[in-house]
């Protein structure tokens, strides 16, 4: 089950956050900073799945934006990885003004 | 001013906020706007309410408080206009979560909207319900939602199914309401609804075993759906990188996994399909790999045919060879789960797993380490340990502890020879000494102590290792212990298993002193080194001045433990020199499990007897030390230390005596008198140690009741070929006259075949000026000596 969905930029600011399980406000910021720290410190050589406490974090980088999904261990990691890309493609189709930005990202895949 | 801001559109507000250069400016703009919004709400202007709320929601997304908009949401939801409802419901989803009091008030509105019949409105209501519906709301509105499940419009059906999923998660008892429609929903063509239905069925099955049984009947239908998905050609609507609707495929596979678990019949129905999916899926892109991975997970979980399981393991093996790290990570995790049940299948991929140890990525190498440790068995232990030790040298510190303990455990379980075991443990200690577990030292000393033939080899290797590096504490401790115990073997000369190493006594002593003085040594290590020095005083042939010097220096050490030992050893040198050899003998092998504590207890028992007999002498000795200290101009603080030492040694050691050291002795075998001539008597007493059934200890006691001394007394023994005999040095070669101190000699006889014991003794001595020689066989040996 997906626990949370975050979009974070490279400076560490959260652009979008959606929690599917109740988490206190102050704990949220703590969670976000820790998650961002572990994602930002990884190089492109390393795999996209991180183990963090009792979640698994699946992240994907699009230019200056990181999309991080936190799941529990019943999920198929690779399906979630595909899902993140699907989400980005939907955004791209729906908000055509961001087409150029996303175009660059799609090419890099 | 109020009029102008009430007509400020949302886009204009966003523009203004974006134009603000600083955080303070932004806050100012927003505060001004919020004041206007609040005023507008108070005035109750129905026309622009939605615009105000939209602005408020934007401000809320940026993180500013927006709770005063809650009642406005309610008003907007109740309004008949669609634009109002749209913003109202959006506001409800963002601002009215379960903990707000106003939450329940929207129930009625939602109920009305659900039965209205306008798709868009129904859609809005269902969305809100599925996002923020509380348990009470779900119970109230369940029947409404159920009605909507069979609506003609796919748009509404899809949202209704999603709402049903949310309701089941909140209130599992509602499953009996949602169970019946599922069968019909499975005939859907619309993928969105189908996906929702599968998720609904999954949730139902996970929460109630009755539902699980009910849905098992639908396995053939699910199989059919999946087959159609896999075999139909390219469809633009649902294809992602060449795979048609991988999300639906994954979801169906997951449901099949849940249904097939522990159920033979369903598993059989699925077998063909799973094989088909596994072979037909295109694996060049991530989507295909995701589907394949889910298939493998399903095969592993259900009661699948053996051929299918082998196929699954092979797929995982192929994943391991893939360049994409994500796939390798996923493969390693799954193989770890499989290794318990399908060990031999996973063994075939061992070389690839070992390759993955060299990954720079932390999560991958950790998984590879766990899997490699699980794959070690008696046939591949040498190769695997080699690889793992290579890994240990280069891996990051957080993995070192796990790797070291893993290697040691594997070595313990599968060591082919003792020498290999010692070598491996030594190497681990040298590479990662600081990260090993605490009992590694104890285990290694136990191991070395037990391998008698390897004493010389071990002590040489440990000596060379210690000479190079004295910083790894466990290694230093073991090396110090070994050098102390087997120092004589170290100096002896050549050992065929290592290179010839010429070691001088002075070098050994210098090394131990270095360990003692180094600031890297822990107090425990220093204790080991000091004791080793003492033991060397009996093993080495040179004089003991250097050792005595060191020991007496440590008599004033600040560390209480060291000081205590040093003072005791000092006393050994001065007052009880004749007992020193006996006390510092080689430690006999102790049973596993009682090891270290017992050894120390035995040693300290002997020293306790020493200090019990000499509590008073420690005082004058302590004062003598004090004098020495004054002479040496030592710090006056030391004056405090010797007196408190006095009451403690006996007290501290006496309670150590309560440690159970040895099991109670078995029933004693009666003594035997074997020889008597002119007042010289020879008695044999027998002991069978309980731990070693083939060992017999005979003590030969010679007593002299005549008027003249017996001198040059030599006793020799012979036994049949199947026995092994060891004679220890006698306590003396003179048996003084008239019941003086008897002479004792210990014989150790090993009787592996448990044959009847036969013993021949030969005595030569001088008595009354005559030299006497006697040879005789000992008859009537009691049966207990050899049975």
């Amino acid at each position: 089950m997906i626990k949370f969905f975050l979009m974070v930029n490279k400076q560490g600011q959260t652009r979008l956050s959606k929690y599917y399980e109740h988490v206190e406000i102050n704990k949220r910021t703590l969670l976000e900073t820790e998650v961002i720290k572990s994602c930002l410190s990884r190089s492109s050589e390393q795999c996209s799945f991180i183990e963090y406490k009792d979640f698994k974090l699946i992240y994907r980088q699009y230019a200056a934006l990181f999309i991080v999904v936190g799941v529990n261990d019943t999920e198929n990691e690779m399906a979630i990885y595909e899902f993140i890309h699907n989400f980005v493609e939907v955004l791209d189709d729906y908000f055509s003004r961001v087409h150029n930005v996303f175009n660059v990202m799609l090419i890099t895949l | 001013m109020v009029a102008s801001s009430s007509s400020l559109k949302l886009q204009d507000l966003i523009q203004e906020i974006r134009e603000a250069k600083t955080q303070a400016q932004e806050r100012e703009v927003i505060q001004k706007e919020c004041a206007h919004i609040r005023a507008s709400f108070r005035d109750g202007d129905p026309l622009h309410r939605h615009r105000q709320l939209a602005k408020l929601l934007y401000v809320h997304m940026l993180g500013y408080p927006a709770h005063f908009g809650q009642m406005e949401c309610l008003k907007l939801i109740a309004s008949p206009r669609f634009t109002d409802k749209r913003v109202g419901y959006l506001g409800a989803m963002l601002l009215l979560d379960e903990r707000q009091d106003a939450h329940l008030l929207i129930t009625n509105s939602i109920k009305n909207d659900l039965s209205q019949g306008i798709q868009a409105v129904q859609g809005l209501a269902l969305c809100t319900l599925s996002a923020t519906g509380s348990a009470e709301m779900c119970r109230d509105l369940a029947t409404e939602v159920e009605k909507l499940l069979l609506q003609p419009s796919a748009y509404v059906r899809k949202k209704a199914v999603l709402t049903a999923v949310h309701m089941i998660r909140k209130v599992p008892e509602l499953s009996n309401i949602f169970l019946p429609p599922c069968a019909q929903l499975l005939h859907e063509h619309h993928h969105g609804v189908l996906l929702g239905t599968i998720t609904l069925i999954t949730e139902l099955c996970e929460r109630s075993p009755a539902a699980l049984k009910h849905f098992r009947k639908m396995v053939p239908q699910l199989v059919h759906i999946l087959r159609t998905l896999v075999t139909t050609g390219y469809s633009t609507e649902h294809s992602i990188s060449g795979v048609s609707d991988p999300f639906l495929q994954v979801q169906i596979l997951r449901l099949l996994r849940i249904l097939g678990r522990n159920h033979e019949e369903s598993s059989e129905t699925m077998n063909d399909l799973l094989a088909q999916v596994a072979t037909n899926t295109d694996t060049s892109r991530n989507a295909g790999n995701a589907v394949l991975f889910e298939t493998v997970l399903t095969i592993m979980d259900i009661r699948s045919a053996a051929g299918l399981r082998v196929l699954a393991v092979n797929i995982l093996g192929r994943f391991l060879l893939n360049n994409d790290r994500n796939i390798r990570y996923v493969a390693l995790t799954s193989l770890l789960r499989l290794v318990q049940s399908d060990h031999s299948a996973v063994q075939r991929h061992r070389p690839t797993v070992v390759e993955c140890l060299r990954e720079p990525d932390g999560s991958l190498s950790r998984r590879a380490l766990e899997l490699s440790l699980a794959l070690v068995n008696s046939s591949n232990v040498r190769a695997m340990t080699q690889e793992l030790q290579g890994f240990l040298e280069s891996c990051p510190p957080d993995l070192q502890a796990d790797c070291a303990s893993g290697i040691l455990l594997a070595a313990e379980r599968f060591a082919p020879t003792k020498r290999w075991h010692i070598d491996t443990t030594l190497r681990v200690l040298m590479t990662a000494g600081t990260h090993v577990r605490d009992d590694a030292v104890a285990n290694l000393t136990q191991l070395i102590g037990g391998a008698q033939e390897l004493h010389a080899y071990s002590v040489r290797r440990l000596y060379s290792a210690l000479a190079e590096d004295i910083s790894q504490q466990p290694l230093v401790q073991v090396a110090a212990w070994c050098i102390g115990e087997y120092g004589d073997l170290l100096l002896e000369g050549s050992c065929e298993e290592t290179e010839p190493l010429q070691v001088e006594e002075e070098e050994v002593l210098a090394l131990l002193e270095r360990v003692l003085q180094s600031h890297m040594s822990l107090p425990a290590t220093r204790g080991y080194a000091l004791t080793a020095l003492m033991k060397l005083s009996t093993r080495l042939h040179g004089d003991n001045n250097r050792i005595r010097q060191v020991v007496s220096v440590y008599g004033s050490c600040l560390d209480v433990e060291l000081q205590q030992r040093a003072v005791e050893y000092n006393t050994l040198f001065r007052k009880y020199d004749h007992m020193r050899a006996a006390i510092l003998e080689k430690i006999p092998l102790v049973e596993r499990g009682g090891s270290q504590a017992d050894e120390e207890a035995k040693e300290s028992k002997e020293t306790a007897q020493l200090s019990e007999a000499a509590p008073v002498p420690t005082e004058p000795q302590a004062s003598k030390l004090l004098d020495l200290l004054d002479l040496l101009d030592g710090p006056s603080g030391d004056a405090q230390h010797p007196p408190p030492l006095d009451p403690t040694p006996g007290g501290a050691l006496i309670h150590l005596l309560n440690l159970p050291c040895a099991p109670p002795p078995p029933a004693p075998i009666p003594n035997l008198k074997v020889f008597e001539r002119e007042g010289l008597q020879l008695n044999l007493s027998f002991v069978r140690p309980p731990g070693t059934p083939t060992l017999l200890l005979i003590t030969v006691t010679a007593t002299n009741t005549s008027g003249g001394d017996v001198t040059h007394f030599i006793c020799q023994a012979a036994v049949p070929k199947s026995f092994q005999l060891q004679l220890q040095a006698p306590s003396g070669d003179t048996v003084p006259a008239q019941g003086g101190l008897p002479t004792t000699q210990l014989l150790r006889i090993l009787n592996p075949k448990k044959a009847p014991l036969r013993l021949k003794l030969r005595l030569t001595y001088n008595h009354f000026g005559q030299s006497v020689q006697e040879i005789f066989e000992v008859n009537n040996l009691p049966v207990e000596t050899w049975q």
Side-chain angles (χ1 to χ4, degrees):
Chain A
M1 206 182 106
I2 297 183
K3 301 287 181 188
F4 56 84
F5 188 100
L6 296 174
M7 272 169 80
V8 186
N9 72 1
K10 251 193 179 157
Q11 281 82 41
Q13 293 170 310
T14 314
R15 287 290 177 225
L16 170 70
S17 74
K18 177 85 177 138
Y19 288 85
Y20 293 97
E21 231 186 19
H22 178 59
V23 178
E24 304 279 342
I25 297 286
N26 49 347
K27 288 215 186 81
R28 280 189 199 190
T29 32
L30 193 66
L31 180 75
E32 279 160 33
T33 30
E34 281 184 20
V35 164
I36 292 160
K37 211 169 26 163
S38 34
C39 290
L40 286 176
S41 58
R42 289 174 82 85
S43 66
S44 60
E45 292 282 303
Q46 298 175 303
C47 77
S48 299
F49 313 134
I50 308 174
E51 277 158 38
Y52 170 75
K53 291 194 189 164
D54 48 349
F55 306 124
K56 263 193 271 215
L57 300 173
I58 297 155
Y59 73 93
R60 213 161 166 164
Q61 184 177 7
Y62 292 95
L65 198 64
F66 280 87
I67 301 189
V68 186
V69 177
V71 292
N72 67 1
D73 42 355
T74 54
E75 284 290 340
N76 180 342
E77 294 95 336
M78 291 169 56
I80 299 284
Y81 192 72
E82 199 58 42
F83 163 70
I84 295 177
H85 190 61
N86 200 13
F87 177 75
V88 167
E89 280 184 353
V90 166
L91 286 182
D92 178 28
D93 281 338
Y94 199 70
F95 299 106
S96 45
R97 260 179 290 161
V98 300
H99 193 74
N100 293 329
V101 185
F102 278 97
N103 233 353
V104 174
M105 298 177 195
L106 291 172
I107 292 170
T108 57
L109 281 168
Chain B
M1 267 225 285
V2 176
S4 66
S5 43
S6 70
S7 60
L8 193 67
K9 291 205 274 214
L10 177 60
Q11 278 156 321
D12 300 335
L13 176 64
I14 296 178
Q15 194 91 0
E16 255 190 56
I17 292 178
R18 284 257 176 91
E19 280 165 7
K21 297 276 190 308
T22 67
Q23 185 85 315
Q25 222 176 347
E26 184 183 300
R27 232 175 308 157
E28 207 184 292
V29 168
I30 288 177
Q31 268 173 355
K32 204 169 63 167
E33 194 53 40
C34 283
H36 289 309
I37 294 175
R38 251 190 287 236
S40 159
F41 285 161
R42 256 199 319 267
D43 293 339
D45 172 17
L47 281 174
H48 296 116
R49 203 180 278 150
H50 66 95
R51 192 183 284 165
Q52 306 291 32
L53 191 63
K55 284 188 280 189
L56 190 60
L57 290 176
Y58 181 75
V59 163
H60 172 74
M61 273 204 315
L62 290 175
Y64 295 90
H67 47 271
F68 52 88
Q70 287 171 6
M71 293 312 287
E72 303 311 312
C73 294
L74 293 174
K75 288 185 204 159
L76 281 171
I77 292 174
S79 140
R81 291 197 317 170
F82 183 70
T83 35
D84 286 348
K85 274 196 200 290
R86 196 174 63 166
V87 182
Y89 273 120
L90 182 62
M93 279 195 267
L94 287 178
L95 298 175
L96 288 175
D97 57 16
E98 273 182 45
R99 272 152 311 137
Q100 309 299 333
D101 302 321
H103 185 64
L104 273 177
L105 297 172
I106 59 175
T107 317
N108 211 23
S109 303
I110 294 186
K111 192 166 186 170
N112 289 339
D113 285 334
L114 283 178
S115 38
Q116 249 191 35
I118 302 176
Q119 279 188 40
V121 172
Q122 284 173 326
L124 283 175
L126 285 169
C127 256
T128 313
L129 191 53
S130 64
T132 58
S134 66
E136 292 85 45
M137 279 172 69
C138 292
R139 280 201 200 93
D140 288 338
L141 297 168
T143 38
E144 296 292 331
V145 173
E146 193 235 333
K147 265 188 268 174
L148 290 173
L149 279 176
L150 301 168
Q151 275 269 326
S153 152
Y155 172 81
V156 173
R157 277 208 303 273
K158 183 172 74 176
K159 292 207 189 282
V161 170
L162 289 173
T163 315
V165 171
H166 173 81
M167 286 184 166
I168 295 287
R169 284 188 182 149
K170 276 278 180 192
V171 187
E173 295 83 46
L174 293 172
S175 52
N176 49 345
I177 300 185
F178 291 115
L179 213 85
C182 288
Q184 194 173 352
L185 281 171
L186 271 181
H187 294 288
E188 279 291 330
H189 290 292
H190 188 271
H191 279 212
V193 185
L194 199 48
L195 188 55
T197 313
I198 305 281
T199 318
L200 179 61
I201 299 178
T202 315
E203 289 287 329
L204 285 170
C205 291
E206 276 176 356
R207 280 174 172 64
S208 110
L212 188 62
K213 236 189 290 187
H214 174 86
F215 284 114
R216 284 219 175 98
K217 296 183 224 130
M218 298 196 193
V219 170
Q221 205 175 353
L222 290 167
V223 167
H224 174 75
I225 297 174
L226 188 52
R227 188 168 279 140
T228 348
L229 262 182
V230 173
T231 48
T232 45
Y234 183 77
S235 110
T236 36
E237 202 182 301
H238 299 125
S239 161
I240 293 186
S241 14
V243 181
S244 52
D245 209 342
F247 300 113
L248 184 58
Q249 288 194 31
V250 164
Q251 204 69 7
I252 295 181
L253 284 167
R254 190 176 303 160
L255 179 58
L256 286 176
R257 183 157 87 231
I258 297 176
L259 291 177
R261 205 178 276 158
N262 289 332
H263 196 243
E264 278 295 337
E265 208 187 302
S266 320
S267 310
E268 264 186 57
T269 336
M270 292 181 221
N271 274 333
D272 289 335
L273 172 69
L274 291 171
Q276 190 177 13
V277 174
T279 40
N280 284 1
T281 315
D282 170 30
T283 54
S284 54
R285 302 297 295 274
N286 186 55
N289 284 327
V291 173
L292 210 51
F293 178 50
E294 194 70 33
T295 318
V296 168
L297 287 177
T298 306
I299 294 177
M300 278 167 17
D301 247 355
I302 65 173
R303 298 262 180 89
S304 48
L308 208 54
R309 288 183 95 87
V310 172
L311 179 63
V313 175
N314 286 345
I315 292 176
L316 287 177
R318 238 176 35 225
F319 274 179
L320 272 182
L321 295 167
N322 198 312
N323 280 330
D324 187 351
R325 286 198 169 70
N326 295 339
I327 299 180
R328 274 198 264 187
Y329 176 85
V330 159
L332 283 172
T333 324
S334 325
L335 280 174
L336 194 57
R337 268 192 276 176
L338 263 185
V339 80
Q340 304 300 330
S341 48
D342 294 82
H343 193 89
S344 46
V346 182
Q347 275 286 354
R348 252 181 283 134
H349 299 286
R350 190 171 58 81
T352 336
V353 173
V354 169
E355 273 293 314
C356 292
L357 271 179
R358 306 209 184 95
E359 283 290 329
D361 182 353
S363 16
L364 271 182
S365 49
R366 181 186 291 274
R367 286 265 171 266
L369 176 65
E370 280 175 27
L371 191 54
S372 315
L373 287 173
L375 283 177
V376 176
N377 65 19
S378 41
S379 51
N380 60 24
V381 67
R382 279 184 202 258
M384 288 295 284
T385 328
Q386 195 78 1
E387 293 283 343
L388 286 169
Q389 275 174 337
F391 177 65
L392 186 62
E393 279 159 22
S394 56
C395 74
D398 47 342
L399 286 178
Q400 265 190 345
D402 290 328
C403 190
S405 15
I407 297 179
L408 290 177
L409 258 168
E412 228 175 86
R413 281 171 63 193
F414 300 117
T417 58
K418 276 203 176 151
R419 180 177 152 178
W420 182 89
H421 194 174
I422 293 178
D423 277 342
T424 316
T425 322
L426 262 181
R427 201 170 151 195
V428 171
L429 282 182
M430 284 195 280
T431 333
T434 38
H435 296 284
V436 295
R437 280 199 331 244
D438 296 329
D439 56 352
V441 173
N443 287 344
L444 185 56
T445 48
Q446 171 81 11
L447 182 62
I448 294 180
Q452 218 173 352
E453 65 280 9
L454 292 170
H455 284 167
Y457 170 74
S458 343
V459 74
R460 269 160 200 290
R461 284 219 52 198
L462 282 166
Y463 178 77
S464 344
L466 192 61
E468 280 178 29
D469 171 26
I470 58 170
S471 62
Q472 304 263 30
Q473 293 305 302
L475 181 65
V476 173
Q477 287 174 4
V478 176
W481 184 85
C482 261
I483 293 177
E485 279 290 297
Y486 311 119
D488 46 339
L489 293 174
L490 178 63
L491 298 168
E492 228 162 47
S494 61
C495 162
E496 70 275 2
E497 295 179 20
T498 59
E499 290 147 25
L501 181 68
Q502 213 34 37
V503 182
E504 299 295 322
E505 287 179 15
E506 293 301 313
E507 288 175 13
V508 179
L509 294 179
L511 186 60
L512 284 175
E513 279 173 37
R514 237 177 77 204
V515 170
L516 268 177
Q517 286 156 7
S518 161
H519 61 275
M520 293 186 278
S521 304
L522 296 173
T525 318
R526 289 215 177 92
Y528 272 96
L530 194 59
T531 315
L533 268 176
M534 265 316 282
K535 289 188 204 169
L536 281 178
S537 70
T538 49
R539 314 259 196 270
L540 300 181
H541 306 298
D543 68 14
N544 295 326
N545 278 336
R546 192 164 171 184
I547 298 180
R548 291 179 73 149
Q549 243 178 356
V550 174
V551 167
S552 57
V553 164
Y554 276 86
S556 53
C557 171
L558 283 175
D559 184 289
V560 176
E561 164 83 23
L562 275 182
Q563 190 184 50
Q564 178 179 333
R565 287 188 195 222
V567 170
E568 288 166 4
Y569 294 150
N570 237 350
T571 325
L572 255 187
F573 270 125
R574 290 187 193 199
K575 290 227 153 196
Y576 299 95
D577 209 30
H578 59 276
M579 285 172 59
R580 188 159 50 87
I583 291 182
L584 296 172
E585 251 185 26
K586 289 208 170 92
I587 298 179
L589 187 64
V590 189
E591 295 300 320
R592 197 73 184 268
S595 50
Q596 210 65 338
D598 284 358
E599 288 177 342
E600 282 162 6
K602 279 198 187 136
E603 286 187 278
S604 35
K605 191 161 81 159
E606 283 141 5
T607 42
Q609 285 162 357
L610 199 60
S611 35
E612 269 183 77
V616 171
T618 23
E619 262 294 7
Q621 272 190 28
S623 54
K624 275 189 207 157
L625 282 172
L626 263 179
D627 294 340
L628 270 175
L629 287 172
D630 284 338
L631 279 176
L632 293 169
D633 206 24
S636 56
D638 277 351
Q640 302 304 317
H641 290 278
L645 185 61
D646 187 19
T648 46
L653 287 170
I654 280 181
H655 73 256
L656 274 174
L657 289 175
N658 293 334
L659 275 175
C661 278
I669 307 172
N671 289 359
L672 191 64
K673 182 165 132 187
V674 296
F675 178 76
E676 156 94 61
R677 179 175 158 163
E678 292 170 328
L680 177 66
Q681 256 183 12
L682 218 66
N683 272 325
L684 296 182
S685 61
F686 307 93
V687 175
R688 292 285 295 275
T692 35
T694 52
L695 182 64
L696 171 66
L697 299 171
I698 304 182
T699 312
V700 181
T701 315
T703 44
N704 187 1
T705 48
S706 69
D709 290 355
V710 168
T711 55
H712 300 93
F713 178 81
I714 297 177
C715 170
Q716 289 161 323
V719 290
K721 278 217 177 80
S722 62
F723 297 81
Q724 283 174 31
L725 172 67
Q726 212 183 6
L727 264 118
Q728 296 205 341
S731 62
D733 63 350
T734 308
V735 191
Q738 278 154 357
L741 199 66
T743 313
T744 55
Q745 186 167 17
L746 189 63
L747 274 75
R748 291 168 68 102
I749 297 184
L750 264 174
N751 183 3
K753 293 191 187 150
K754 299 229 175 177
L757 177 64
R758 292 171 55 191
L759 186 65
K760 214 175 209 177
L761 289 176
R762 177 173 180 260
L763 304 173
T764 51
Y765 58 88
N766 288 348
H767 198 194
F768 298 130
Q770 284 177 313
S771 68
V772 180
Q773 194 190 56
E774 291 275 355
I775 304 179
F776 55 89
E777 186 168 354
V778 178
N779 300 320
N780 58 7
L781 281 166
V783 180
E784 296 90 24
T785 51
W786 51 268
Q787 249 182 358

